[in-house]
Amino acid sequence: MQVLILGAGQLARMMSLAGAPLNIQVMAYDVGSQTVVHPLTLQRYDFSLAQAIEGVDVITAEFEHIPHDVLDVCGASGKFLPTTDAIKAGGDRRLEKALLDRAGVANAKYHIINTRADLDAAIAHVGLPMVLKSALGGYDGKGQWRLKERSQADAIWEEMAAFLTETPEQAIVAEEFVPFDREVSLIGVRNRQGEVRVYPITENVHVDGVLNLSTAIVDAQAIQQQADEMFTAVANALNYVGVLAIEFFDVGGKLLVNEIAPRVHNSGHWTQQGAETCQFENHLRAVCDLPLGSTALLRPTAMINILGEDQIPASVVATAGTHVHWYGKEKRAGRKMGHINVCANTPAELENQLKALATQLDALAFPALPR
Ligand code: AMP
């Protein structure tokens, strides 16, 4: 089986690694340089996107910010999964909100802003404080503002107006500020026959909008059930095929969807060591029409993101239950360079493992670790 992935980052890399034992060969399309590359070595292949589309069995994506002309060409081949609509919804918060409403799942109250008058209407409809998010191109907290008081509205509008003129078709989605207790996500997979399997829900700690630490939750029955139902509603509404991630706010035990990612997701990296079948393999199984793998938890597992660092102490690598995954990227401040999966026999043991690792890792680079 030959699979082309749109996007040539770490997610394509990890799908390629997961696909090899199944004899699934992966190549990646680097949207920036518009070249087809090997997902591990990033060496360029000597053929065009059109030739790659022609040659592969299946096309999928590792991120949602893909030019629509590329998506449309891939969609027209009849080989693209999960569906081009799902990718477009993941890349545009207006479409995403419409999808969530259509699927009937709870999400933060919102209002779409194109003009100064819309901002006033948003304040009336959504209330203050509010979070303002760019409709296009936003991720990891980028393109976001917080509006706390009406007196700040003119100043914030000036900034937003400049931002809106930078990109055609851009808009702002104003969202009520959600006083959440914690952030959780659900990773699941749906196949072509409509069968759905979900992983245990994951608790996520973000710092400055960027994921730092994810922990699979072992005993979260009440929210797991809510999340499973919302997952199925969204995946069915999209007739989705592949791995889908949904991020939620947990407010007193009630879940509200924050956003969806129509792809494998950073908060699912723990499944490489913590689940029977990892998210990368299950995505490939789904899009290649192979039977889905078990999503059962093997053991309590957490994932620590390595941000902006290209080295970690050898003592971390030496720690039992610890697995380091580097992405082979050049070091840049804040960049996702790799992650560490940490496994233990019990949740209490996992907490102790994380505390022990915290003593070996720099507090500034790993701020979410328990200390
Ligand atoms: P996002 O890119 O939408 O996931 O936002 C990045 C982070 O900002 C989230 O992980 C939350 O920590 C925070 N955030 C986003 N939207 C809201 C909201 N409506 N209320 C409170 N915090 C939010």
Side-chain angles (χ1 to χ4, degrees):
M1 220 34 169
Q2 297 248 17
V3 176
L4 173 68
I5 298 178
L6 303 182
Q10 66 266 24
L11 303 179
R13 175 187 172 95
M14 289 186 276
M15 278 192 265
S16 161
L17 290 168
L22 291 170
N23 258 353
I24 296 172
Q25 271 122 39
V26 171
M27 50 188 135
Y29 178 67
D30 181 351
V31 172
S33 64
Q34 302 183 356
T35 51
V36 183
V37 300
H38 189 284
L40 299 179
T41 63
L42 301 185
Q43 270 176 325
R44 291 182 181 190
Y45 288 113
D46 194 16
F47 45 78
S48 64
L49 174 62
Q51 287 168 315
I53 291 171
E54 176 70 27
V56 297
D57 303 292
V58 172
I59 309 169
T60 188
E62 64 140 29
F63 79 136
E64 50 276 32
H65 301 297
I66 298 167
H68 284 189
D69 56 339
V70 173
L71 265 185
D72 292 340
V73 171
C74 293
S77 72
K79 298 178 182 178
F80 188 83
L81 290 167
T83 68
T84 51
D85 280 352
I87 302 293
K88 286 177 183 172
D92 184 335
R93 291 189 195 273
R94 290 164 289 197
L95 299 176
E96 183 181 33
K97 283 290 197 184
L99 164 69
L100 297 175
D101 290 345
R102 186 154 52 88
V105 298
N107 62 90
K109 211 194 285 180
Y110 69 99
H111 192 82
I112 293 166
I113 298 177
N114 291 297
T115 64
R116 177 68 180 82
D118 292 338
L119 177 58
D120 288 332
I123 294 171
H125 178 65
V126 168
L128 291 174
M130 67 164 70
V131 182
L132 297 145
K133 303 180 178 181
S134 66
L136 299 173
Y139 63 95
D140 286 348
K142 293 186 177 68
Q144 290 198 12
W145 298 263
R146 303 280 155 107
L147 180 58
K148 293 191 178 127
E149 290 165 23
R150 189 176 276 275
S151 60
Q152 301 168 314
D154 282 332
I156 247 179
W157 172 251
E158 232 172 82
E159 257 185 66
M160 288 191 329
F163 183 82
L164 284 172
T165 54
E166 274 170 25
T167 315
E169 311 288 320
Q170 185 61 285
I172 304 288
V173 178
E175 220 176 67
E176 67 176 312
F177 179 84
V178 179
F180 56 81
D181 300 311
R182 60 177 176 173
E183 293 185 84
V184 298
S185 60
L186 188 76
I187 315 293
V189 59
R190 183 178 184 275
N191 69 11
R192 296 187 194 190
Q193 293 73 40
E195 182 195 350
V196 167
R197 293 194 185 179
V198 297
Y199 290 94
I201 207 158
T202 306
E203 180 168 351
N204 301 316
V205 182
H206 294 87
V207 178
D208 297 330
V210 180
L211 183 65
N212 270 239
L213 177 67
S214 288
T215 309
I217 312 179
V218 181
D219 52 356
Q221 266 158 9
I223 57 165
Q224 180 85 45
Q225 198 185 335
Q226 285 178 55
D228 292 0
E229 283 167 10
M230 292 198 234
F231 181 93
T232 304
V234 173
N236 286 346
L238 286 166
N239 200 17
Y240 196 90
V241 178
V243 164
L244 168 73
I246 305 190
E247 294 185 82
F248 301 93
F249 299 125
D250 178 354
V251 191
K254 189 175 174 298
L255 295 187
L256 284 183
V257 174
N258 173 23
E259 62 182 2
I260 67 158
R263 54 174 167 81
V264 290
H265 191 254
N266 196 169
S267 69
H269 291 359
W270 66 265
T271 61
Q272 289 170 311
Q273 267 76 42
E276 185 81 43
T277 314
C278 76
Q279 62 165 350
F280 305 102
E281 180 176 334
N282 253 336
H283 183 74
L284 289 175
R285 283 179 181 236
V287 298
C288 293
D289 209 16
L290 293 170
L292 297 180
S294 164
T295 50
L297 186 84
L298 291 177
R299 52 202 164 179
T301 302
M303 186 236 38
I304 306 161
N305 261 348
I306 305 173
L307 302 167
E309 302 282 321
D310 62 358
Q311 281 180 14
I312 53 167
S315 58
V316 173
V317 186
T319 304
T322 297
H323 300 261
V324 181
H325 300 256
W326 289 109
Y327 307 152
K329 292 193 203 168
E330 226 167 88
K331 183 172 168 171
R332 207 188 302 140
R335 191 174 201 193
K336 289 181 179 171
M337 301 291 291
H339 66 272
I340 309 167
N341 285 337
V342 189
C343 306
N345 293 315
T346 62
E349 201 181 284
L350 181 60
E351 177 79 5
N352 286 337
Q353 285 262 65
L354 293 174
K355 283 184 181 155
L357 290 175
T359 64
Q360 300 162 53
L361 293 166
D362 180 45
L364 285 178
F366 297 90
L369 286 178
R371 286 172 198 274

